[in-house]
Amino acid sequence: MAEKKTILVVEENATNRKILCRILNDEYEVLGAESEGQAFDILNEKKKNISLVLFDIVLLVIDGYSFLKKCKSEGELQTIPVVVIAQNNSDIDVVKALSFGAVDFFTKPYKPKIIKYRVDQIINMRDSTRLFNNIERDMLTGLYTKEVFHSRARDLLEKKPYKQYDVVCMDIENFKLVNDTYGELEGDRLLCFVADSFKKIILSKGGYAGRLGGDVFVGILPCFGQNYEVEMVNVVNEALSSYPLSMKIVVKFGIYQPSGLKLTIRAMCDRAKFAVESIKGKYDVLYSFYNEEIGSRLQEEQKITSEMKLALEMKQFQVYFQPKYNLHNDKIAGAEALVRWVHPQKGVMQPTSFIPLFEKNGFITDLDRYVWDNTCKKIRDWRDKGYKTVPISVNVSRTDIYNPVLADILMETVSKHGLTPEELHLEITETSYTENPKQIINAVENLKSLGFVIEMDDFGSGYSSLNMLNELPIDILKLDMKFIQNDSHERNNKNILSFIISLAKWLDLLVVAEGVETYEQVQRLRNMDCTYVQGYYYAKPMASEDFEELLKSSQVDDEEVSTKVYFDTGRIEVNIAKGEKKTMLIVDDVEINRAVLVETFKEKYTVVEADNGAVALEYLNEHFEEIEIVLLDLIMPVVDGFQVLCEMRKNENTHNIPVIVTSQAGENSESKSLAFGASDFIAKPYDRSICIRRVENVVAKAKLSLQEQKLRPILNSLLEIFD
Ligand code: C2E
Ligand code: CA
Ligand code: CA
């Protein structure tokens, strides 16, 4: 005959204990306890044999439910069902008891049949789940299941309390993505592979490994005071490096070092998990130890997570704008939309305190959509008020780029507000590209082909190689702040910065320098021929109303103006073109000749006219930096074209400025002027299209050779640095 199962009755009143005993006696062995303390004594001694506890609610309430709390936090006790015996009118207490983990309740007076029936049922159920839980191994990976791992780990710690053990949690970065992209079968295969290398390393150190669920694994291993973590990280990640999947897979580790058995195993595992969560998304950190700071940060994060959805509904997120300026004319040239959380208690919160968390928990997708929508709404609003707007850029988080319907969402957003994709710039951070190049490049290429302007954010903060720039679908390079803010006097830094700016220009990319805070930095960037800047020196991110004021005040249109500048030696006339344009200097004593050229080039250039050679040289002396090309008449009174050319070529400031000489056909001065250093020759009377073609060719050629000249020394010094 099978052995009788045991029930523990905890009841103050002896008569009641006796009644219950009589009801259950036939089928069960019934033990009695009259207080919580006694109950624990019995449990500790016989916990393996006790199938159920009946507990009087009066005792439970007196002790603040501490019996249940303690039972539910201790491994083996956790699995023993507790049923509460209540008075008929104690609903509140019953609910509380159930919330602390009691499985059921009976009310007095006792109804024997019902009690027996329910007790049988609960015990049966427990037996079958125990059977299930006793399957020691996780079916997929063959590691211990969570429950078994817990109990093994506890045994280990109890048996050798004097020894130091570490609890290690391992997590696959972006695992969900593998499942989403390649399907669950591929995901399962990866889990097995990772589990296998994890198990090997943990077992080789004399520990146990288990699977907590999903892509989270846990291990416990003796810590001999040696630094095993680096080895563990390397072994597993190196095994992964040859794993056949086009996506790079990275696993990370969190380590908790318990002191004795003060915490439950579950809590220890939680802490190791916190530690690994704290480095999610930090792509160059592969392991972390739990510390109090992580603990309180995670608590804070949990708080934010619980508030975020409501905050979005309540419109607590606001879009600020930080203008970008054109260094050539100090005019506003664009702006970046930056989100702020205006929290009812905490005030204005900066995005660095919540964006990384939202990127981890996926909420960033919702927030970004909100920001894009509100930004477009504002642009529409400003447009409707009649302001000339500047392109506004929004941030597109890494997580967004993996979203297969990102392009649809963005198209929908712009068209909803009657805008076109060209009016919205998308800032995509550099690390996105390096993390998973192929997939991201495809996605970004698609966005670009739809007309969005792509800015690569934080360039230089990650490891994207310079030669990758050529292949990436981008229009604008945003230089990471560190370039500008690092020790400005350091030679290498300066060289690298100017090298990148030259390279970007060469690749036809516009450059925005971020984090410009001082006048000195502005000057330095100007000298390096950087075009756009963003930073506190010009303006901090501001509320949309303030940005609107700024837009309003910058509306004065740069009308075509003509100014006359008088030098000692003659007259200079400047035809300033709309927008920011390069300067062309035309030197000719005959007004009508100049007028034809001005007419031809005024759309493309700010055209400066000089009516004699001397004044031209004087102007060149002061403005050589602005001038892209000179059109020079050869035959002029006093200082003729040959003299101007000679002077220009002697002077290092004007040495490289391309010069096209203009002269009557048949004057035969062509070869002479080329010998003097002219770049090309145009014959009068002018043919408009030939003029344009010649100028374009000469400018392009000059740019190329300048590039080469500029790049060579920088390249050389770079080579020196890397040597
Ligand atoms: P980011 O995209 O690199 O944005 C530039 C950050 O530099 C902004 O910080 C800006 O306020 C700050 N900044 C600008 N000029 C200067 C300066 O001269 N000196 C210094 N020290 N800092 C300057 P912010 O607004 O705190 O934003 C931080 C980051 O949060 C952003 O970095 C961006 O990655 C993220 N972020 C902000 N708004 C959004 C958003 O709507 N969506 C997403 N996905 N990310 C956002
Ligand atoms: Ca940005
Ligand atoms: Ca940036």
Side-chain angles (χ1 to χ4, degrees):
M1 209 179 101
E3 209 180 313
K4 270 188 182 177
K5 291 184 174 134
T6 308
I7 293 177
L8 172 64
V9 174
V10 191
E11 161 73 70
E12 214 175 8
N13 182 304
T15 318
N16 284 343
R17 273 204 311 275
K18 239 179 237 162
I19 299 175
L20 283 169
C21 190
R22 208 168 302 147
I23 295 173
L24 295 164
N25 232 338
D26 290 349
E27 261 180 80
Y28 299 99
E29 169 99 43
V30 183
L31 303 174
E34 57 176 27
S35 68
E36 187 183 306
Q38 227 179 46
F40 270 120
D41 289 343
I42 296 175
L43 276 173
N44 280 336
E45 195 185 327
K46 306 190 166 159
K47 57 187 165 199
K48 288 217 160 63
N49 302 320
I50 292 180
S51 298
L52 186 128
V53 178
L54 276 172
F55 205 106
D56 182 10
I57 198 145
V58 178
L59 281 176
L60 204 57
V61 175
I62 291 174
D63 289 310
Y65 305 89
S66 66
F67 179 80
L68 278 176
K69 286 183 207 164
K70 209 165 160 197
C71 276
K72 291 302 147 195
S73 67
E74 272 189 33
E76 230 155 337
L77 293 187
Q78 269 182 41
T79 62
I80 304 177
V82 179
V83 176
V84 178
I85 312 159
Q87 301 297 336
N88 222 344
N89 55 359
S90 53
D91 282 0
I92 298 176
D93 299 332
V94 168
V95 171
K96 208 155 176 196
L98 291 174
S99 79
F100 279 120
V103 293
D104 205 343
F105 67 98
F106 305 135
T107 45
K108 292 177 190 166
Y110 306 131
K111 301 187 180 84
K113 273 195 181 148
I114 292 186
I115 291 182
K116 265 168 94 173
Y117 177 76
R118 288 227 202 127
V119 164
D120 284 351
Q121 274 215 320
I122 292 169
I123 289 179
N124 275 339
M125 204 146 76
R126 181 198 183 219
D127 287 348
S128 45
T129 45
R130 267 182 76 165
L131 197 70
F132 182 75
N133 284 344
N134 266 343
I135 301 172
E136 286 206 328
R137 304 275 173 180
D138 170 48
M139 308 261 265
L140 180 69
T141 62
L143 297 189
Y144 285 133
T145 56
K146 178 157 112 188
E147 290 74 17
V148 177
F149 175 80
H150 283 176
S151 105
R152 288 289 142 95
R154 186 172 325 96
D155 287 349
L156 201 63
L157 292 179
E158 272 173 353
K159 263 185 224 143
K160 300 181 179 163
Y162 46 88
K163 241 181 152 171
Q164 175 67 46
Y165 287 90
D166 282 2
V167 177
V168 177
C169 180
M170 179 180 79
D171 176 81
I172 306 177
E173 191 99 322
N174 278 328
F175 178 69
K176 191 176 167 298
L177 203 67
V178 177
N179 263 345
D180 292 351
T181 318
Y182 302 98
E184 274 184 25
L185 207 67
E186 197 51 63
D188 283 353
R189 203 172 311 170
L190 176 64
L191 285 174
C192 289
F193 183 87
V194 170
D196 211 42
S197 41
F198 181 59
K199 186 170 103 186
K200 269 187 203 143
I201 180 100
I202 298 284
L203 292 192
S204 76
K205 307 268 172 222
Y208 295 121
R211 180 180 176 206
L212 284 189
D215 62 331
V216 183
F217 300 89
V218 69
I220 184 163
L221 73 172
C223 157
F224 305 113
Q226 71 202 3
N227 299 333
Y228 65 89
E229 36 325 312
V230 175
E231 184 197 342
M232 174 177 70
V233 169
N234 288 344
V235 165
V236 183
N237 278 309
E238 259 161 39
L240 269 172
S241 66
S242 57
Y243 190 77
L245 210 58
S246 63
M247 198 173 127
K248 187 171 183 316
I249 308 288
V250 172
V251 293
K252 297 192 168 185
F253 299 86
I255 302 162
Y256 175 64
Q257 305 188 289
S259 49
L261 260 167
K262 273 186 243 148
L263 292 177
T264 62
I265 302 289
R266 181 189 301 270
M268 293 178 192
C269 292
D270 276 350
R271 293 191 170 193
K273 206 166 146 209
F274 282 172
V276 72
E277 273 171 14
S278 74
I279 50 171
K280 243 189 204 170
K282 291 186 185 165
Y283 77 112
D284 50 349
V285 187
L286 294 176
Y287 69 92
S288 164
F289 284 89
Y290 176 88
N291 54 37
E292 285 309 317
E293 193 200 321
I294 291 179
S296 54
R297 197 167 63 225
L298 274 149
Q299 254 175 4
E300 176 64 21
E301 286 192 353
Q302 277 158 357
K303 188 151 181 291
I304 293 182
T305 307
S306 71
E307 293 175 339
M308 65 195 182
K309 286 206 176 102
L310 191 65
L312 191 64
E313 274 168 35
M314 307 282 285
K315 299 197 168 27
Q316 287 172 11
F317 292 100
Q318 277 184 22
V319 184
Y320 273 43
F321 294 90
Q322 185 180 32
K324 300 175 184 175
Y325 282 82
N326 184 328
L327 268 180
H328 294 324
N329 57 14
D330 272 352
K331 285 200 176 120
I332 179 169
E336 173 174 9
L338 292 158
V339 73
R340 299 289 181 266
W341 182 349
V342 186
H343 194 281
Q345 281 92 43
K346 297 178 193 155
V348 179
M349 284 164 69
Q350 300 302 312
T352 37
S353 68
F354 55 86
I355 294 270
L357 174 61
F358 292 175
E359 282 179 338
K360 262 194 313 196
N361 66 23
F363 187 65
I364 192 70
T365 321
D366 296 345
L367 180 63
D368 274 349
R369 273 178 88 152
Y370 176 87
V371 171
W372 303 336
D373 188 56
N374 274 272
T375 302
C376 290
K377 197 160 133 200
K378 284 282 176 234
I379 302 177
R380 180 76 263 156
D381 182 37
W382 294 325
R383 196 70 65 70
D384 290 344
K385 286 179 176 162
Y387 305 138
K388 215 177 84 193
T389 54
V390 287
I392 310 275
S393 58
V394 292
N395 287 285
V396 175
S397 137
R398 239 176 314 176
T399 332
D400 298 326
I401 307 178
Y402 292 118
N403 185 348
V405 292
L406 171 68
D408 300 338
I409 294 173
L410 280 163
M411 283 305 280
E412 224 169 81
T413 311
V414 288
S415 60
K416 174 177 156 197
H417 297 283
L419 304 174
T420 60
E422 288 77 12
E423 294 169 276
L424 200 64
H425 289 206
L426 307 178
E427 294 193 7
I428 300 171
T429 182
E430 182 205 56
T431 45
S432 310
Y433 292 93
T434 42
E435 219 170 58
N436 185 4
K438 235 196 202 145
Q439 197 176 352
I440 299 215
I441 290 173
N442 287 344
V444 178
E445 228 148 40
N446 180 31
L447 290 170
K448 192 169 144 85
S449 71
L450 288 169
F452 292 102
V453 179
I454 311 293
E455 305 198 10
M456 186 197 250
D457 204 356
D458 308 323
F459 178 76
S461 64
Y463 299 113
S464 70
S465 62
L466 287 172
N467 57 26
M468 237 173 91
L469 274 184
N470 213 359
E471 294 154 28
L472 295 180
I474 49 177
D475 304 284
I476 296 173
L477 209 58
K478 282 192 91 176
L479 295 179
D480 193 69
M481 294 193 200
K482 75 163 187 234
F483 284 120
I484 287 80
Q485 298 182 341
N486 272 4
D487 186 5
S488 51
H489 305 292
E490 216 180 288
R491 202 197 73 170
N492 290 349
N493 200 43
K494 228 160 151 177
N495 283 347
I496 291 173
L497 184 57
S498 83
F499 171 70
I500 291 174
I501 292 175
S502 312
L503 188 72
K505 294 212 150 184
W506 199 28
L507 296 170
D508 253 343
L509 301 172
L510 291 171
V511 177
V512 183
E514 256 189 295
V516 178
E517 291 179 353
T518 66
Y519 179 71
E520 196 251 313
Q521 291 165 347
V522 171
Q523 283 308 96
R524 198 147 46 88
L525 286 163
R526 262 208 190 103
N527 289 338
M528 290 178 187
D529 207 15
C530 174
T531 318
Y532 299 106
V533 284
Q534 175 182 348
Y536 295 169
Y537 177 75
Y538 284 92
K540 290 197 168 178
M542 55 186 90
S544 66
E545 304 82 50
D546 297 327
F547 184 71
E548 184 173 327
E549 284 304 312
L550 194 73
L551 263 187
K552 227 192 278 186
S553 66
S554 64
Q555 292 295 308
V556 270
D557 207 331
D558 23 11
E559 282 291 297
E560 191 175 317
V561 262
S562 195
T563 45
K564 295 179 177 66
V565 185
Y566 291 89
F567 281 85
D568 297 347
T569 42
R571 202 182 67 166
I572 282 280
E573 191 148 335
V574 184
N575 308 281
I576 298 177
K578 271 189 195 167
E580 11 102 22
K581 286 179 181 152
K582 297 266 178 178
T583 302
M584 167 187 276
L585 173 63
I586 296 173
V587 194
D588 200 316
D589 54 327
V590 181
E591 185 166 1
I592 181 71
N593 286 340
R594 296 200 306 271
V596 174
L597 292 175
V598 170
E599 210 36 50
T600 310
F601 290 106
K602 72 175 185 200
E603 290 292 314
K604 206 172 165 223
Y605 283 98
T606 286
V607 185
V608 176
E609 301 172 54
D611 65 357
N612 68 65
V615 78
L617 284 172
E618 214 170 318
Y619 190 83
L620 272 164
N621 221 4
E622 275 180 36
H623 298 270
F624 62 90
E625 271 180 331
E626 297 147 30
I627 295 175
E628 183 164 76
I629 186 162
V630 179
L631 302 190
L632 176 66
D633 181 29
L634 282 179
I635 316 297
M636 287 183 295
V638 196
V639 180
D640 70 8
F642 289 113
Q643 274 171 284
V644 173
L645 198 52
C646 263
E647 290 299 321
M648 276 183 75
R649 291 302 175 243
K650 268 194 271 173
N651 184 328
E652 67 166 330
N653 290 334
T654 55
H655 182 78
N656 283 322
I657 300 176
V659 176
I660 300 182
V661 295
T662 62
S663 196
Q664 296 299 337
E667 267 174 7
N668 220 355
S669 39
E670 191 173 340
S671 52
K672 187 176 168 197
S673 52
L674 293 179
F676 270 70
S679 316
D680 208 340
F681 183 90
I682 308 180
K684 290 170 189 157
Y686 296 124
D687 175 295
R688 206 179 133 88
S689 59
I690 290 182
C691 288
I692 293 175
R693 180 88 51 81
R694 291 264 157 89
V695 167
E696 275 176 1
N697 285 344
V698 165
V699 167
K701 216 165 99 193
K703 267 191 187 159
L704 259 179
S705 73
L706 191 68
Q707 248 17 297
E708 245 188 71
Q709 277 176 35
K710 262 194 189 169
L711 289 181
R712 181 120 323 126
I714 299 163
L715 256 177
N716 288 343
S717 63
L718 264 185
L719 287 176
E720 241 171 67
I721 296 164
F722 293 126
D723 250 356

